[in-house]
Amino acid sequence: MTQYAFFFNQKRCLGCKTCVIACKEWNESKRGDANLNRALTEETAGTFDTPASWGAGARPDTLNGAHSKDILRRFDAKENWRRVTFFEFGTKAPNIAIVPLSIGCNHCSEPACIPVCPVKAISKEDKYGAVRVDSSKCISCGACRAACPWNAPQYYKDLQAEGPRPPMTKCDLCSSDPKTFRR
């Protein structure tokens, strides 16, 4: 089995979270929150500071225009298939370092999420080694999220919420688009 992976050069990472936004944008149609979340309204978009003009410090007004709700809805996503976390090392200056780490699903060689899924909705494919979920089978029980050490399985709504629960979604290693891969 071939195993592809993400390359992350920690020495070049600033912790800007652009990779998080790029992942959300690239996978817009696959994320559960993008499919379930209704478009933002004037009321909900009012909490954002980024106007359509993208001017520094500008607010929506007659000069700068209104919020671009389509763009804001994409980035208001609750699911984060890629996340940036920060780790602090050292105890006393000047020997202290804060190190950013970009992480998503690691597409493990022996994924902890696969054996715990009661409906066998998660599998590992052979071509790229991606751990994938069949959303049509998923019953949103949360067993995969509890088993995953990387918090890769994502749910748009909290599992404790009332109403229908959407299926789990997760990073698929962009394996549905072969143009993504470079050798």
Side-chain angles (χ1 to χ4, degrees), residues 152-171:
Q154 300 284 304
Y155 294 90
Y156 167 59
K157 294 181 181 176
D158 185 2
L159 288 176
Q160 312 312 322
E162 304 240 348
R165 295 182 293 192
M168 180 270 284
T169 62
K170 61 176 282 309
C171 167

Side-chain angles (χ1 to χ4, degrees), residues 1-4 125-130 178:
M1 174 189 307
T2 303
Q3 181 63 58
Y4 280 68
E125 56 98 29
D126 291 331
K127 188 171 182 180
Y128 300 111

Side-chain angles (χ1 to χ4, degrees), residues 42-56:
E42 284 295 329
E43 183 180 319
T44 57
T47 61
F48 291 94
D49 291 333
T50 308
S53 68
W54 295 90

Side-chain angles (χ1 to χ4, degrees), residues 1 22 34 42 45 47 50 72 78 80-81 83-84 107 112 114 125 172:
M1 174 189 307
E42 284 295 329
T47 61
T50 308
L72 292 174
K78 307 300 184 257
N80 285 311
W81 290 1
R83 296 170 308 282
V84 175
H107 302 280
I114 291 176
E125 56 98 29
D172 64 1

Side-chain angles (χ1 to χ4, degrees), residues 6 8 19-20 80-85 87 101-106 149-150:
F6 289 103
F8 170 69
C19 57
V20 175
N80 285 311
W81 290 1
R82 177 140 303 273
R83 296 170 308 282
V84 175
T85 56
F87 294 94
L101 176 65
S102 175
I103 193 166
C105 178
N106 285 323
W150 313 110

